[in-house]
Amino acid sequence: MSDSIRTAIVTGAARGIGATIAKRFAADGMQVAVLDLDEGACQTVVDEIAAAGGKALAVGCDVSDEAAVAAAVERIASELGAPTTLVNNAGIIRDNLLFKMGVEDWDAVMNVHLRGAFLMSKATQKYMTEAKFGRIVNLSSTSALGNRGQANYSAAKAGMQGFTKTLAFELGKFGVTANAIAPGFIETDMTAATAERVGMDFDAFKQAAAQQIPVQRVGQPEDIAATASFFAREEAGFVSGQVVYVAGGPRD
Ligand code: NAI
């Protein structure tokens, strides 16, 4: 792989952690498909990558839609190159206590995180196994350990860990690694929305969170991008099936 430019796909990359991973991968020398629900919303990230001298493609796709995923991955392969690096980052939260959680909130979260990661991984593994090289990075969460109000999300994020380990077993012989990152509190629109839901000012919310974190600060998208960058490296080829908690401490 070393003499060809790698193509990476980052899902949910129009903003937040995904956008930062996409920019980090471009800085690492990969060309990047910036994939999110709305193609137009991906353009800013694509422009930023191009302005820094990189190459990126905006791709509109709902990761839970099988036909859309197949079309998006084919388009990326023909317009950028065979994708051999994938970050399953797209995610949503639909928090509520169990007794108030609607089945639609359960299904929505399962569909984006688990069905989405399954469909994207299935569609791209073909290119990875053909290339005898691949890197899959899945976004889990400290919520995988359980979190009040997140029966759906914590189940999905724990599921991402089992999914990751199984991909590591199945795809290892093709030179493909699969690893998961379990972030703690990262400052993004997602955590801002959580602050709003619990009726707290975001700065106060972050400060309260930081006090509970051993390194005494909340995380930034760059903290996650640095870990994804490591897993994506060629030299990380003997690291597979791992879950790294990037949470300023052992867990949340
Ligand atoms: P965010 O809400 O800022 O960004 C998520 C992106 O995913 C959005 O651009 C959204 O449009 C996209 N997306 C949602 N549904 C999609 C679908 N069906 N198809 C394609 N794209 C879709 O979230 P953030 O904070 O950047 O989180 C990224 C990932 O990291 C998520 O998987 C999240 O669960 C995980 N995570 C975040 C933490 C945090 O503290 N922010 C902590 C632990 C995990």
Side-chain angles (χ1 to χ4, degrees):
M1 286 307 296
S2 40
D3 43 6
S4 58
I5 296 173
R6 269 157 67 185
T7 296
I9 304 175
V10 183
T11 72
R15 68 181 200 190
I17 293 170
T20 306
I21 293 173
K23 288 186 264 185
R24 172 66 194 247
F25 278 8
D28 288 347
M30 291 184 245
Q31 38 191 23
V32 186
V34 177
L35 185 151
D36 210 295
L37 283 171
D38 173 25
E39 188 162 318
C42 299
Q43 200 54 48
T44 311
V45 178
V46 168
D47 291 345
E48 281 173 18
I49 289 172
K55 189 171 175 194
L57 177 72
V59 181
C61 173
D62 176 348
V63 295
S64 66
D65 178 334
E66 186 178 10
V69 166
V73 172
E74 265 182 48
R75 184 184 154 209
I76 292 161
S78 71
E79 290 186 32
L80 277 183
T84 54
T85 300
L86 169 69
V87 181
N88 286 308
N89 166 83
I92 57 168
I93 45 172
R94 293 284 185 275
D95 294 357
N96 226 327
L97 294 175
L98 179 65
F99 78 103
K100 288 195 281 190
M101 187 176 284
V103 73
E104 62 285 356
D105 294 327
W106 176 270
D107 289 343
V109 168
M110 292 302 152
N111 282 340
V112 178
H113 297 268
L114 286 177
R115 184 180 159 94
F118 161 69
L119 291 174
M120 287 298 307
S121 303
K122 194 172 171 192
T124 51
Q125 57 79 33
K126 164 179 131 193
Y127 298 98
M128 298 186 191
T129 51
E130 271 170 17
K132 295 270 186 288
F133 175 88
R135 297 284 182 265
I136 298 174
V137 180
N138 295 319
L139 268 289
S140 177
S141 166
T142 50
S143 295
L145 303 167
N147 199 21
R148 191 178 160 82
Q150 292 196 317
N152 49 3
Y153 185 80
S154 61
K157 290 309 202 185
M160 290 296 265
Q161 298 190 9
F163 180 62
T164 300
K165 288 167 195 276
T166 298
L167 295 191
F169 279 123
E170 291 188 11
L171 300 175
K173 66 175 170 222
F174 301 104
V176 180
T177 67
N179 291 286
I181 301 173
F185 188 118
I186 309 297
E187 186 175 344
T188 67
D189 290 332
M190 185 179 273
T191 36
T194 305
E196 203 175 318
R197 187 179 62 83
V198 299
M200 268 180 88
D201 166 69
F202 193 33
D203 280 333
F205 190 64
K206 281 187 290 183
Q207 247 174 22
Q211 280 169 14
Q212 306 302 315
I213 297 170
V215 302
Q216 296 284 289
R217 68 167 176 90
V218 299
Q220 296 299 323
E222 288 75 11
D223 292 310
I224 307 307
T227 312
S229 172
F230 167 72
F231 281 140
R233 281 183 209 166
E234 288 184 39
E235 67 187 1
F238 206 53
V239 181
S240 196
Q242 299 305 304
V243 180
V244 170
Y245 283 82
V246 182
R251 54 182 156 77
D252 63 341

